[in-house]
Amino acid sequence: MLRVALFGAGRIGQVHARSIVESGEAELAWVCDPVEAAATSLAARYGARPSPEPGDAIEDTSVDAVLIASATATHTDLLRASVLAGKKVLCEKPIDLDMARIDATWDAIKGKAPFVMLGFNRRFDPTFREVNERVKAGEIGPIRALRVTSRDPQPPPAAYLGVSGGMFRDMTIHDFDMARFFLGEITEVSAVASHNNLPAFIAAGDHAQAMVTMRNADNALCTIVNSRSCAFGYDQRLEAYGDAGSLEAGNLTATSVRAFSARETEAAGPVLNFFLERYMPAYKAEFAEFLAAVKEDREPSVGFADGRAALVLAEAAIESVATGRVVSVTGG
């Protein structure tokens, strides 16, 4: 059994705790969170040891791996300390909001044969992964375009907007990674955005919606459509288009029942509420990949370099919005 320490007992930490325990191949050894009551409550649920100090778990030589699900500002320090202590690491996105801190972290750990997996869970969503596998199998011929739609059901709290790093670093970063998952190296980014005249977004200097277009090294195109709110719920769709056809992953509902009447056709129930419901299978599959990579002594399928590359694209989108220009990128 892999002994895992979890850093962060908030909403996403609780999801990861469940994935660890339900995997059947790992043991939740520690839960560390500066909010001691949160750490104690989650640790008690699964028989782990609680602590407000992550150093307690990092110094525990019986711990094999750590899962970093704490606040973004803590990621690089925890990642560096964990790798230097010989732990395997699964770190939630983003690595950090600042490229210089990311590069400094890599410089500090690169000589230690680091095992670092990034939490881009959407790569492991069953529907998106099936589309990706069928594209790679050649079903639609050469891929020419990718369309990614991601809209949240409601805006985040105003307090969160102030510390999130902005839409592109916080929300769109998943979609940037999805673009790379399908298209490989991205060479060109163009973006437009709007605060929708909403005071909270104006005050935070952030965006309520955005559209991004990108080009890859083979001249395939990608469109990303984002919104911080959506009247019909958590809108998560994807289409890959090629010379021989297209493959599409639509929104998921609780059941596949559809109603037909004189008033409506193909009427479905509401889409799954938010990311915890929509992507729960993806989180479990993500941790399964982490376990498999550890067991097989290989690099995980999405690593530190992927986390950095996604932030490169986020920074390019920010520059494009500010300048109104198409931004060329390397390492994206």
Side-chain angles (χ1 to χ4, degrees):
M1 297 285 281
L2 194 75
R3 285 177 53 80
V4 182
L6 173 65
F7 300 151
R11 185 169 57 172
I12 193 60
Q14 293 175 45
V15 171
H16 285 301
R18 178 177 168 184
S19 296
I20 292 167
V21 173
E22 292 184 357
S23 72
E25 298 182 55
E27 173 189 353
L28 184 60
W30 287 87
V31 176
C32 302
D33 194 292
V35 180
E36 196 163 358
T40 300
S41 175
L42 185 59
R45 192 183 311 170
Y46 296 112
R49 296 177 66 182
S51 176
E53 298 295 335
D56 291 341
I58 293 172
E59 293 169 8
D60 184 347
T61 57
S62 74
V63 169
D64 306 299
V66 303
L67 200 160
I68 302 172
S70 50
T72 298
T74 68
H75 286 186
T76 50
D77 288 343
L78 292 174
L79 194 156
R80 182 188 299 109
S82 298
V83 170
L84 295 181
K87 316 298 186 188
K88 313 290 187 184
V89 176
L90 171 54
C91 181
E92 265 296 338
K93 64 80 198 169
I95 301 172
D96 195 81
L97 300 177
D98 181 75
M99 191 66 72
R101 283 177 60 85
I102 291 175
D103 289 342
T105 299
W106 181 250
D107 287 342
I109 67 173
K110 64 183 179 183
K112 302 295 183 179
F115 181 106
V116 180
M117 179 172 170
L118 255 290
F120 285 123
N121 66 294
R122 295 182 192 182
R123 291 191 183 215
F124 302 95
D125 174 73
T127 55
F128 294 165
R129 197 164 189 87
E130 179 182 342
V131 173
N132 185 268
E133 289 171 351
R134 290 169 69 172
V135 166
K136 288 188 163 86
E139 184 171 330
I140 61 171
I143 185 169
R144 302 301 187 190
L146 181 72
R147 172 174 51 84
V148 181
T149 300
S150 180
R151 299 182 176 113
D152 286 351
Q154 61 272 325
Y160 179 78
L161 288 177
V163 299
S164 71
M167 174 182 270
F168 293 121
R169 297 189 188 99
D170 173 55
M171 177 183 179
T172 320
I173 197 162
H174 275 295
D175 307 311
F176 290 135
D177 182 68
M178 191 56 54
R180 296 186 66 255
F181 186 42
F182 277 84
L183 300 178
E185 181 187 0
I186 302 296
T187 60
E188 190 177 281
V189 177
S190 177
V192 292
S194 172
H195 49 56
N196 287 3
N197 298 318
L198 297 172
F201 289 96
I202 294 172
D206 202 0
H207 315 303
Q209 63 170 326
M211 294 185 180
V212 183
T213 57
M214 299 188 291
R215 185 189 306 272
N216 80 349
D218 294 323
N219 281 314
L221 304 178
C222 176
T223 303
I224 296 172
V225 178
N226 285 155
S227 176
R228 286 289 200 180
S229 63
C230 180
F232 56 86
Y234 192 40
D235 188 14
Q236 299 289 293
R237 291 174 285 149
L238 178 149
E239 182 202 25
Y241 174 80
D243 290 349
S246 69
L247 290 162
E248 184 170 343
N251 282 319
L252 301 183
T253 57
T255 75
S256 60
V257 174
R258 299 294 182 266
F260 299 79
S261 71
R263 294 181 297 105
E264 57 192 8
T265 59
E266 287 282 355
V271 297
L272 296 179
N273 182 55
F274 203 16
F275 71 94
L276 297 183
E277 295 85 356
R278 171 62 180 81
Y279 288 116
M280 180 57 77
Y283 284 111
K284 291 185 177 183
E286 174 186 78
F287 189 69
E289 159 62 11
F290 180 73
L291 285 172
V294 170
K295 185 184 300 183
E296 296 163 15
D297 193 25
R298 60 168 172 82
E299 291 187 1
S301 60
V302 53
F304 191 99
D306 296 295
R308 186 187 189 281
L311 190 66
V312 167
L313 299 180
E315 297 294 344
I318 292 168
E319 180 182 344
S320 180
V321 169
T323 63
R325 298 174 181 168
V326 175
V327 178
S328 296
V329 297
T330 56

